[in-house]
Amino acid sequence: MKPLDEAGAMSVVKESITLIVPDADFSRVEPDDKFRDVLELDSLDFLRLVELLSERTGIRVDEEDYPELTTLADTVRFLVGRSRDGTGLTA
């Protein structure tokens, strides 16, 4: 898998959220907003998001990584960093 850039990672994040919340209005979400609160994702929605991000990027996301997935900017940073350094890639 080639490393993600910020635009690619943001696209994956937004597309994944849209699969869970089809009417997600990203115009209401600033990059540093806690998107779970703004988009009203519950715990199961968040776990589905983690699963989708992992499936779509090949990056393993462990429970201890969840605090890195709080805002859109944090989630993008996490995915880009993991894709570049190769840690946490699934087989």
Side-chain angles (χ1 to χ4, degrees):
M1 181 189 106
K2 75 177 197 175
L4 289 168
D5 61 14
E6 288 186 14
M10 182 62 82
S11 179
V12 168
V13 172
K14 286 183 175 181
E15 289 169 6
S16 298
I17 290 172
T18 301
L19 290 172
I20 299 163
V21 183
D23 60 343
D25 182 1
F26 290 102
S27 67
R28 295 179 27 220
V29 185
E30 295 296 322
D32 294 316
D33 286 346
K34 293 181 179 179
F35 64 84
R36 284 181 65 180
D37 295 338
V38 176
L39 298 175
E40 299 178 8
L41 271 71
D42 63 24
S43 297
L44 291 177
D45 292 336
F46 180 73
L47 291 176
R48 179 68 181 132
L49 174 62
V50 168
E51 183 179 282
L52 284 168
L53 293 175
S54 184
E55 287 173 5
R56 299 182 79 178
T57 64
I59 296 170
R60 188 170 136 185
V61 182
D62 295 316
E63 190 171 345
E64 62 262 13
D65 299 321
Y66 293 178
E68 302 293 322
L69 309 175
T70 305
T71 68
L72 292 177
D74 289 342
T75 304
V76 166
R77 214 174 355 265
F78 172 82
L79 293 174
V80 169
R82 283 284 172 96
S83 74
R84 288 190 178 154
D85 68 18
T87 60
L89 296 180
T90 59

Coordinates of all heavy atoms in Angstrom, one line a residue:
M1 N 0.8 -1.2 0.0 CA 0.0 0.0 0.0 C 0.9 1.2 0.0 O 1.8 1.3 0.7 CB -0.9 0.0 1.3 CG -1.8 1.2 1.4 SD -2.6 1.2 3.0 CE -1.7 2.6 3.7
K2 N 0.5 2.2 -0.8 CA 1.3 3.4 -0.9 C 0.8 4.3 0.3 O -0.3 4.3 0.7 CB 1.2 4.1 -2.2 CG -0.1 4.8 -2.5 CD 0.0 5.5 -3.9 CE -1.1 6.5 -4.0 NZ -1.1 7.3 -5.2
P3 N 1.8 5.2 0.8 CA 1.4 6.1 1.9 C 0.2 7.0 1.5 O 0.2 7.5 0.3 CB 2.7 6.9 2.1 CG 3.8 6.0 1.6 CD 3.2 5.3 0.4
L4 N -0.6 7.3 2.4 CA -1.7 8.3 2.2 C -1.2 9.7 2.4 O -0.3 9.9 3.2 CB -2.8 8.1 3.3 CG -3.6 6.8 3.2 CD1 -4.4 6.6 4.5 CD2 -4.6 6.9 2.0
D5 N -1.7 10.6 1.6 CA -1.5 12.0 1.9 C -2.7 12.5 2.6 O -3.7 11.8 2.8 CB -1.2 12.8 0.6 CG -2.4 12.7 -0.4 OD1 -3.5 12.4 -0.1 OD2 -2.1 13.1 -1.6
E6 N -2.6 13.8 3.0 CA -3.7 14.3 3.8 C -5.1 14.3 3.1 O -6.1 14.0 3.6 CB -3.4 15.7 4.3 CG -2.3 15.7 5.4 CD -2.1 17.1 6.0 OE1 -2.9 18.0 5.7 OE2 -1.1 17.2 6.7
A7 N -5.0 14.7 1.8 CA -6.3 14.7 1.0 C -6.9 13.3 0.9 O -8.1 13.1 1.0 CB -6.0 15.4 -0.4
G8 N -6.0 12.4 0.6 CA -6.5 11.0 0.5 C -7.1 10.5 1.8 O -8.1 9.8 1.8
A9 N -6.4 10.7 2.9 CA -6.8 10.3 4.2 C -8.2 11.0 4.5 O -9.1 10.3 5.0 CB -5.8 10.6 5.2
M10 N -8.3 12.3 4.3 CA -9.6 13.0 4.6 C -10.7 12.4 3.7 O -11.8 12.2 4.2 CB -9.4 14.5 4.3 CG -10.7 15.3 4.6 SD -11.1 15.2 6.4 CE -10.0 16.5 7.0
S11 N -10.4 12.0 2.5 CA -11.4 11.4 1.6 C -11.9 10.1 2.2 O -13.1 9.8 2.3 CB -10.9 11.3 0.2 OG -11.8 10.7 -0.6
V12 N -11.0 9.3 2.6 CA -11.3 8.0 3.2 C -12.1 8.2 4.5 O -13.1 7.5 4.7 CB -10.0 7.1 3.5 CG1 -10.4 5.9 4.4 CG2 -9.4 6.7 2.2
V13 N -11.8 9.1 5.3 CA -12.5 9.4 6.6 C -13.9 9.8 6.3 O -14.9 9.3 6.8 CB -11.7 10.4 7.4 CG1 -12.6 10.8 8.6 CG2 -10.4 9.9 7.9
K14 N -14.1 10.8 5.4 CA -15.4 11.3 5.1 C -16.3 10.2 4.4 O -17.5 10.1 4.7 CB -15.3 12.6 4.2 CG -14.8 13.8 5.0 CD -14.8 15.0 4.2 CE -14.5 16.2 5.0 NZ -14.5 17.5 4.2
E15 N -15.7 9.5 3.5 CA -16.5 8.4 2.8 C -16.9 7.4 3.8 O -18.0 6.9 3.7 CB -15.6 7.8 1.7 CG -15.4 8.7 0.5 CD -14.4 8.2 -0.5 OE1 -13.9 7.0 -0.3 OE2 -14.1 8.9 -1.4
S16 N -16.0 7.0 4.7 CA -16.3 6.0 5.7 C -17.4 6.5 6.6 O -18.4 5.8 7.0 CB -15.1 5.6 6.5 OG -14.1 5.1 5.7
I17 N -17.4 7.8 7.1 CA -18.4 8.3 7.9 C -19.7 8.3 7.2 O -20.8 8.0 7.7 CB -18.0 9.7 8.4 CG1 -16.9 9.6 9.5 CG2 -19.2 10.4 9.1 CD1 -16.3 11.0 9.9
T18 N -19.7 8.7 5.9 CA -20.9 8.8 5.1 C -21.6 7.4 5.0 O -22.8 7.3 4.9 CB -20.6 9.4 3.7 OG1 -20.0 10.7 3.9 CG2 -21.9 9.5 2.9
L19 N -20.8 6.3 5.0 CA -21.4 5.0 5.0 C -22.2 4.7 6.2 O -23.1 3.9 6.2 CB -20.3 3.9 4.8 CG -19.7 3.9 3.4 CD1 -18.5 2.9 3.3 CD2 -20.7 3.5 2.3
I20 N -21.8 5.3 7.3 CA -22.4 5.1 8.6 C -23.6 6.1 8.8 O -24.6 5.8 9.3 CB -21.4 5.2 9.8 CG1 -20.3 4.2 9.6 CG2 -22.1 5.1 11.1 CD1 -19.1 4.4 10.4
V21 N -23.3 7.4 8.5 CA -24.3 8.5 8.6 C -24.5 9.1 7.2 O -23.8 10.0 6.8 CB -23.8 9.6 9.6 CG1 -24.8 10.6 9.8 CG2 -23.4 9.0 10.9
P22 N -25.4 8.5 6.4 CA -25.5 8.9 5.0 C -25.8 10.4 4.8 O -25.4 10.9 3.8 CB -26.7 8.0 4.5 CG -26.7 6.9 5.4 CD -26.2 7.4 6.7
D23 N -26.4 11.0 5.8 CA -26.7 12.4 5.6 C -25.8 13.3 6.4 O -26.1 14.5 6.7 CB -28.2 12.7 6.0 CG -28.5 12.3 7.5 OD1 -27.7 11.6 8.1 OD2 -29.5 12.8 8.0
A24 N -24.6 12.8 6.6 CA -23.6 13.6 7.4 C -23.3 14.9 6.7 O -23.0 15.0 5.5 CB -22.3 12.8 7.5
D25 N -23.4 16.0 7.4 CA -23.2 17.4 6.9 C -21.8 17.8 7.4 O -21.7 18.3 8.5 CB -24.3 18.3 7.4 CG -24.2 19.7 6.9 OD1 -23.2 20.0 6.1 OD2 -25.0 20.5 7.2
F26 N -20.8 17.6 6.5 CA -19.5 18.0 6.9 C -19.2 19.5 6.9 O -18.2 20.0 7.5 CB -18.4 17.3 6.0 CG -18.4 15.8 6.2 CD1 -19.0 15.0 5.3 CD2 -17.7 15.3 7.3 CE1 -19.0 13.6 5.6 CE2 -17.7 14.0 7.5 CZ -18.3 13.1 6.6
S27 N -20.2 20.3 6.4 CA -20.0 21.7 6.5 C -20.2 22.2 8.0 O -19.8 23.3 8.4 CB -21.1 22.4 5.6 OG -22.4 22.2 6.1
R28 N -20.8 21.3 8.8 CA -21.0 21.6 10.3 C -19.8 21.2 11.1 O -19.7 21.5 12.3 CB -22.2 20.9 10.8 CG -23.5 21.3 10.2 CD -24.7 20.5 10.8 NE -24.5 20.0 12.1 CZ -24.9 18.8 12.5 NH1 -25.5 18.0 11.7 NH2 -24.7 18.4 13.8
V29 N -18.8 20.5 10.5 CA -17.7 19.9 11.2 C -16.4 20.6 10.8 O -15.9 20.5 9.7 CB -17.5 18.4 10.9 CG1 -16.4 17.8 11.8 CG2 -18.8 17.7 11.1
E30 N -15.9 21.4 11.8 CA -14.6 22.0 11.6 C -13.5 20.9 11.8 O -13.7 19.9 12.5 CB -14.4 23.1 12.6 CG -15.3 24.3 12.4 CD -15.1 25.0 11.0 OE1 -14.0 25.1 10.6 OE2 -16.1 25.4 10.5
P31 N -12.3 21.1 11.2 CA -11.2 20.0 11.4 C -10.9 19.7 12.8 O -10.5 18.5 13.1 CB -10.0 20.7 10.7 CG -10.6 21.6 9.7 CD -11.9 22.2 10.4
D32 N -11.1 20.6 13.8 CA -10.7 20.3 15.1 C -11.9 20.1 16.0 O -11.8 19.9 17.3 CB -9.8 21.4 15.7 CG -8.5 21.5 15.0 OD1 -7.9 20.4 14.8 OD2 -8.0 22.6 14.7
D33 N -13.1 20.0 15.4 CA -14.3 19.6 16.2 C -14.3 18.1 16.5 O -13.8 17.3 15.7 CB -15.6 19.9 15.4 CG -15.9 21.4 15.3 OD1 -15.3 22.1 16.1 OD2 -16.8 21.7 14.5
K34 N -14.9 17.7 17.6 CA -15.0 16.3 17.9 C -16.2 15.8 17.0 O -17.4 16.0 17.4 CB -15.3 16.1 19.4 CG -14.1 16.4 20.2 CD -14.4 16.2 21.7 CE -13.1 16.6 22.5 NZ -13.3 16.4 23.9
F35 N -15.8 15.1 15.9 CA -16.9 14.8 15.0 C -17.9 13.8 15.5 O -19.0 13.8 15.1 CB -16.2 14.3 13.7 CG -15.5 13.0 13.8 CD1 -16.1 11.8 13.7 CD2 -14.1 13.0 13.9 CE1 -15.4 10.6 13.8 CE2 -13.4 11.8 14.0 CZ -14.0 10.6 13.9
R36 N -17.6 13.0 16.5 CA -18.5 12.1 17.1 C -19.7 12.9 17.7 O -20.9 12.5 17.6 CB -17.9 11.2 18.1 CG -17.1 10.1 17.5 CD -16.5 9.2 18.6 NE -17.5 8.5 19.4 CZ -17.3 7.6 20.3 NH1 -16.0 7.4 20.7 NH2 -18.2 7.0 21.0
D37 N -19.4 14.0 18.3 CA -20.4 14.8 18.9 C -21.2 15.5 17.9 O -22.5 15.5 17.9 CB -19.8 15.8 19.9 CG -19.1 15.2 21.1 OD1 -19.4 14.0 21.4 OD2 -18.2 15.8 21.7
V38 N -20.5 16.2 16.9 CA -21.2 17.0 15.9 C -22.1 16.1 15.1 O -23.3 16.5 14.8 CB -20.2 17.8 15.1 CG1 -20.9 18.5 14.0 CG2 -19.4 18.7 15.9
L39 N -21.6 14.9 14.7 CA -22.4 14.1 13.8 C -23.2 13.0 14.5 O -23.9 12.2 13.9 CB -21.5 13.4 12.8 CG -20.7 14.3 11.9 CD1 -19.7 13.5 11.0 CD2 -21.6 15.1 11.0
E40 N -23.2 13.1 15.9 CA -24.0 12.2 16.7 C -23.7 10.7 16.5 O -24.6 9.9 16.3 CB -25.5 12.6 16.6 CG -25.8 14.0 17.0 CD -27.2 14.4 16.8 OE1 -28.1 13.5 16.6 OE2 -27.5 15.6 17.0
L41 N -22.4 10.4 16.4 CA -22.1 9.0 16.3 C -22.1 8.3 17.7 O -21.5 8.9 18.6 CB -20.7 8.8 15.7 CG -20.5 8.8 14.2 CD1 -20.8 10.1 13.6 CD2 -19.2 8.3 13.8
D42 N -22.8 7.2 17.8 CA -22.7 6.5 19.1 C -21.5 5.6 19.1 O -20.8 5.5 18.1 CB -24.1 5.8 19.4 CG -24.4 4.7 18.4 OD1 -23.5 4.2 17.7 OD2 -25.6 4.4 18.3
S43 N -21.4 4.8 20.1 CA -20.2 3.9 20.3 C -20.2 2.9 19.2 O -19.1 2.6 18.7 CB -20.3 3.2 21.7 OG -20.2 4.2 22.7
L44 N -21.3 2.3 18.8 CA -21.3 1.3 17.8 C -21.0 1.9 16.4 O -20.3 1.3 15.6 CB -22.7 0.6 17.7 CG -23.0 -0.3 18.9 CD1 -24.4 -0.9 18.8 CD2 -22.0 -1.4 19.0
D45 N -21.4 3.1 16.2 CA -21.1 3.8 15.0 C -19.6 4.1 14.9 O -18.9 3.9 13.9 CB -21.8 5.2 14.9 CG -23.3 5.1 14.7 OD1 -23.8 4.1 14.2 OD2 -24.0 6.1 15.1
F46 N -19.0 4.4 16.0 CA -17.6 4.7 16.1 C -16.8 3.4 15.8 O -15.8 3.4 15.0 CB -17.2 5.3 17.4 CG -15.7 5.6 17.5 CD1 -15.1 6.6 16.8 CD2 -14.9 4.8 18.3 CE1 -13.7 6.9 16.9 CE2 -13.5 5.0 18.3 CZ -12.9 6.0 17.6
L47 N -17.2 2.3 16.4 CA -16.5 1.0 16.1 C -16.6 0.6 14.7 O -15.7 0.1 14.1 CB -17.1 -0.1 17.1 CG -16.8 0.1 18.5 CD1 -17.5 -1.0 19.3 CD2 -15.3 0.1 18.8
R48 N -17.8 0.9 14.1 CA -17.9 0.6 12.6 C -17.0 1.5 11.8 O -16.4 1.1 10.9 CB -19.4 0.8 12.2 CG -19.6 0.6 10.8 CD -19.5 -0.9 10.4 NE -19.8 -1.0 9.0 CZ -19.0 -1.7 8.1 NH1 -17.9 -2.3 8.6 NH2 -19.2 -1.8 6.9
L49 N -16.8 2.8 12.2 CA -15.9 3.7 11.6 C -14.5 3.1 11.6 O -13.8 3.1 10.6 CB -16.0 5.1 12.2 CG -15.0 6.1 11.6 CD1 -15.1 6.3 10.1 CD2 -15.0 7.4 12.4
V50 N -14.1 2.7 12.8 CA -12.7 2.1 13.0 C -12.5 0.9 12.1 O -11.5 0.8 11.4 CB -12.5 1.7 14.5 CG1 -11.2 0.9 14.6 CG2 -12.4 3.0 15.4
E51 N -13.5 0.1 12.0 CA -13.5 -1.1 11.1 C -13.4 -0.7 9.7 O -12.5 -1.2 8.9 CB -14.8 -1.9 11.4 CG -14.8 -3.2 10.6 CD -16.1 -3.9 10.9 OE1 -16.2 -4.6 12.0 OE2 -17.0 -3.9 10.0
L52 N -14.2 0.3 9.2 CA -14.1 0.8 7.9 C -12.7 1.4 7.5 O -12.2 1.1 6.5 CB -15.2 1.8 7.6 CG -16.6 1.2 7.4 CD1 -17.7 2.3 7.5 CD2 -16.7 0.4 6.1
L53 N -12.2 2.2 8.4 CA -10.9 2.8 8.2 C -9.9 1.8 8.0 O -9.0 1.9 7.1 CB -10.6 3.8 9.3 CG -11.4 5.1 9.4 CD1 -11.1 5.9 10.7 CD2 -11.4 5.9 8.2
S54 N -9.9 0.8 8.9 CA -8.9 -0.3 8.8 C -9.0 -1.1 7.5 O -8.0 -1.3 6.8 CB -9.1 -1.2 10.0 OG -8.1 -2.2 10.0
E55 N -10.3 -1.4 7.1 CA -10.5 -2.2 5.9 C -10.1 -1.4 4.6 O -9.5 -1.9 3.7 CB -12.0 -2.5 5.7 CG -12.5 -3.5 6.6 CD -14.0 -3.7 6.6 OE1 -14.7 -3.0 5.7 OE2 -14.6 -4.5 7.4
R56 N -10.4 -0.1 4.6 CA -10.1 0.7 3.4 C -8.7 1.2 3.3 O -8.3 1.5 2.2 CB -11.1 1.9 3.5 CG -12.5 1.5 3.4 CD -13.5 2.6 3.4 NE -13.5 3.0 2.0 CZ -14.2 4.0 1.6 NH1 -15.0 4.6 2.4 NH2 -14.2 4.4 0.3
T57 N -8.0 1.2 4.4 CA -6.6 1.7 4.3 C -5.5 0.6 4.6 O -4.4 0.8 4.3 CB -6.3 2.8 5.4 OG1 -6.5 2.3 6.7 CG2 -7.3 4.0 5.2
G58 N -5.9 -0.5 5.2 CA -5.0 -1.5 5.5 C -4.2 -1.2 6.8 O -3.2 -1.8 7.1
I59 N -4.7 -0.2 7.5 CA -4.0 0.2 8.7 C -4.8 -0.3 9.9 O -6.0 -0.1 10.1 CB -3.9 1.8 8.8 CG1 -3.1 2.3 7.7 CG2 -3.4 2.2 10.2 CD1 -3.1 3.8 7.5
R60 N -4.0 -1.0 10.8 CA -4.7 -1.6 12.0 C -4.9 -0.5 13.0 O -4.0 0.3 13.3 CB -3.7 -2.6 12.6 CG -4.4 -3.4 13.7 CD -3.5 -4.6 14.0 NE -3.4 -4.6 15.5 CZ -2.6 -5.5 16.1 NH1 -1.9 -6.3 15.4 NH2 -2.6 -5.5 17.4
V61 N -6.1 -0.4 13.5 CA -6.4 0.6 14.5 C -6.8 -0.2 15.8 O -7.8 -0.9 15.8 CB -7.6 1.5 14.1 CG1 -7.9 2.5 15.2 CG2 -7.3 2.1 12.7
D62 N -5.9 -0.1 16.8 CA -6.2 -0.7 18.1 C -6.9 0.2 19.0 O -7.0 1.4 18.8 CB -4.9 -1.2 18.7 CG -4.1 -2.2 17.9 OD1 -4.8 -3.1 17.4 OD2 -2.9 -2.0 17.7
E63 N -7.5 -0.4 20.1 CA -8.3 0.4 21.0 C -7.5 1.5 21.7 O -8.0 2.6 21.9 CB -8.8 -0.6 22.1 CG -9.8 0.1 23.0 CD -10.5 -0.9 24.0 OE1 -10.4 -2.1 23.8 OE2 -11.1 -0.4 24.9
E64 N -6.2 1.3 21.9 CA -5.4 2.4 22.4 C -5.2 3.5 21.5 O -4.7 4.6 21.9 CB -4.0 1.9 23.0 CG -3.1 1.2 21.9 CD -3.2 -0.3 21.9 OE1 -4.1 -0.9 22.5 OE2 -2.3 -0.8 21.2
D65 N -5.5 3.3 20.2 CA -5.4 4.4 19.2 C -6.6 5.2 19.1 O -6.6 6.3 18.5 CB -5.2 3.8 17.8 CG -3.9 3.0 17.7 OD1 -2.9 3.4 18.3 OD2 -3.9 1.9 17.0
Y66 N -7.7 4.8 19.8 CA -9.0 5.6 19.7 C -8.9 7.0 20.0 O -9.5 7.9 19.4 CB -10.1 4.9 20.5 CG -10.5 3.5 20.0 CD1 -11.5 2.8 20.7 CD2 -10.0 2.9 18.8 CE1 -11.9 1.6 20.3 CE2 -10.4 1.7 18.4 CZ -11.4 1.0 19.1 OH -11.8 -0.2 18.7
P67 N -8.1 7.4 21.0 CA -8.0 8.9 21.3 C -7.4 9.7 20.2 O -7.6 10.9 20.1 CB -7.1 8.9 22.6 CG -7.2 7.6 23.2 CD -7.4 6.6 22.1
E68 N -6.7 9.0 19.2 CA -6.1 9.7 18.1 C -7.2 9.9 17.0 O -6.9 10.6 16.0 CB -5.0 8.8 17.5 CG -3.9 8.5 18.4 CD -3.1 9.7 18.8 OE1 -2.9 10.6 17.9 OE2 -2.7 9.8 20.0
L69 N -8.4 9.4 17.2 CA -9.5 9.5 16.2 C -10.6 10.4 16.7 O -11.8 10.0 16.6 CB -10.0 8.1 15.9 CG -8.9 7.1 15.5 CD1 -9.6 5.7 15.3 CD2 -8.1 7.5 14.3
T70 N -10.3 11.5 17.3 CA -11.3 12.3 18.0 C -11.8 13.4 17.0 O -13.0 13.6 16.9 CB -10.7 13.0 19.2 OG1 -10.2 12.0 20.1 CG2 -11.7 13.8 19.9
T71 N -10.9 14.0 16.3 CA -11.3 15.1 15.3 C -11.0 14.6 13.9 O -10.2 13.7 13.7 CB -10.6 16.4 15.6 OG1 -9.2 16.2 15.3 CG2 -10.8 16.8 17.0
L72 N -11.5 15.3 12.9 CA -11.1 15.0 11.5 C -9.6 15.1 11.3 O -8.9 14.3 10.8 CB -11.9 15.8 10.5 CG -13.4 15.6 10.5 CD1 -14.0 16.6 9.5 CD2 -13.7 14.2 10.1
A73 N -9.1 16.3 11.8 CA -7.7 16.5 11.7 C -6.8 15.5 12.4 O -5.8 15.0 11.8 CB -7.3 17.9 12.2
D74 N -7.2 15.1 13.6 CA -6.4 14.0 14.3 C -6.5 12.7 13.6 O -5.5 12.0 13.5 CB -7.0 13.8 15.7 CG -6.7 15.0 16.7 OD1 -5.8 15.8 16.4 OD2 -7.4 15.1 17.7
T75 N -7.7 12.4 13.1 CA -7.8 11.1 12.4 C -7.0 11.1 11.1 O -6.3 10.1 10.8 CB -9.3 10.8 12.0 OG1 -10.1 10.9 13.3 CG2 -9.5 9.5 11.4
V76 N -7.0 12.2 10.4 CA -6.2 12.3 9.1 C -4.7 12.1 9.5 O -3.9 11.4 8.9 CB -6.5 13.6 8.4 CG1 -5.4 13.9 7.3 CG2 -7.8 13.5 7.8
R77 N -4.3 12.9 10.5 CA -2.9 12.8 11.0 C -2.5 11.4 11.4 O -1.4 10.9 11.0 CB -2.7 13.8 12.2 CG -1.4 14.5 12.3 CD -1.3 15.5 13.4 NE -2.4 15.9 14.2 CZ -3.3 16.9 13.9 NH1 -3.0 17.7 12.9 NH2 -4.3 17.2 14.7
F78 N -3.3 10.7 12.1 CA -3.1 9.3 12.5 C -2.9 8.4 11.3 O -1.9 7.7 11.2 CB -4.3 8.8 13.4 CG -4.2 7.4 13.7 CD1 -3.4 6.9 14.7 CD2 -4.9 6.4 12.9 CE1 -3.3 5.5 15.0 CE2 -4.8 5.1 13.2 CZ -4.0 4.6 14.2
L79 N -3.8 8.5 10.3 CA -3.8 7.6 9.1 C -2.6 7.9 8.3 O -1.9 7.0 7.8 CB -5.1 7.8 8.3 CG -6.3 7.3 8.9 CD1 -7.5 7.6 8.1 CD2 -6.3 5.8 9.2
V80 N -2.3 9.2 8.1 CA -1.1 9.6 7.3 C 0.2 9.1 7.9 O 1.1 8.5 7.3 CB -1.1 11.1 7.0 CG1 0.3 11.5 6.4 CG2 -2.2 11.5 6.1
G81 N 0.3 9.3 9.2 CA 1.5 8.9 10.0 C 1.7 7.4 9.9 O 2.8 6.9 9.7
R82 N 0.6 6.6 10.2 CA 0.7 5.2 10.2 C 1.0 4.7 8.8 O 1.8 3.7 8.6 CB -0.6 4.5 10.7 CG -0.7 4.6 12.2 CD 0.2 3.6 12.8 NE 0.2 3.7 14.3 CZ -0.6 3.0 15.1 NH1 -1.5 2.2 14.6 NH2 -0.6 3.3 16.4
S83 N 0.5 5.3 7.8 CA 0.7 4.8 6.4 C 2.1 5.1 6.0 O 2.7 4.3 5.2 CB -0.3 5.4 5.4 OG 0.0 6.7 5.1
R84 N 2.7 6.2 6.5 CA 4.1 6.5 6.1 C 5.2 5.7 6.9 O 6.2 5.4 6.3 CB 4.3 8.0 6.3 CG 3.6 8.8 5.3 CD 4.0 10.3 5.3 NE 3.2 11.0 4.2 CZ 2.9 12.2 4.2 NH1 3.3 13.0 5.3 NH2 2.3 12.8 3.3
D85 N 4.9 5.5 8.2 CA 5.9 4.8 8.9 C 5.8 3.3 8.9 O 6.6 2.6 9.4 CB 6.1 5.3 10.4 CG 4.9 5.0 11.2 OD1 4.1 4.1 10.9 OD2 4.7 5.7 12.3
G86 N 4.7 2.8 8.3 CA 4.5 1.4 8.2 C 4.1 0.6 9.4 O 3.9 -0.6 9.4
T87 N 3.9 1.3 10.5 CA 3.5 0.6 11.8 C 2.0 0.4 11.7 O 1.2 1.2 11.1 CB 3.8 1.5 13.0 OG1 3.1 2.7 13.0 CG2 5.2 1.7 13.2
G88 N 1.6 -0.7 12.2 CA 0.1 -1.0 12.3 C -0.5 -1.4 11.0 O -1.7 -1.4 10.9
L89 N 0.3 -1.7 9.9 CA -0.3 -2.1 8.7 C -0.8 -3.6 8.8 O -0.1 -4.4 9.4 CB 0.7 -2.0 7.5 CG 1.1 -0.6 7.2 CD1 2.1 -0.6 6.0 CD2 0.0 0.3 6.9
T90 N -2.0 -3.8 8.3 CA -2.5 -5.2 8.3 C -1.9 -6.0 7.2 O -1.4 -5.4 6.2 CB -4.0 -5.2 8.2 OG1 -4.4 -4.6 7.0 CG2 -4.7 -4.5 9.4
A91 N -1.9 -7.3 7.3 CA -1.3 -8.1 6.3 C -2.1 -8.1 5.0 O -3.2 -7.8 4.9 CB -1.1 -9.5 6.8

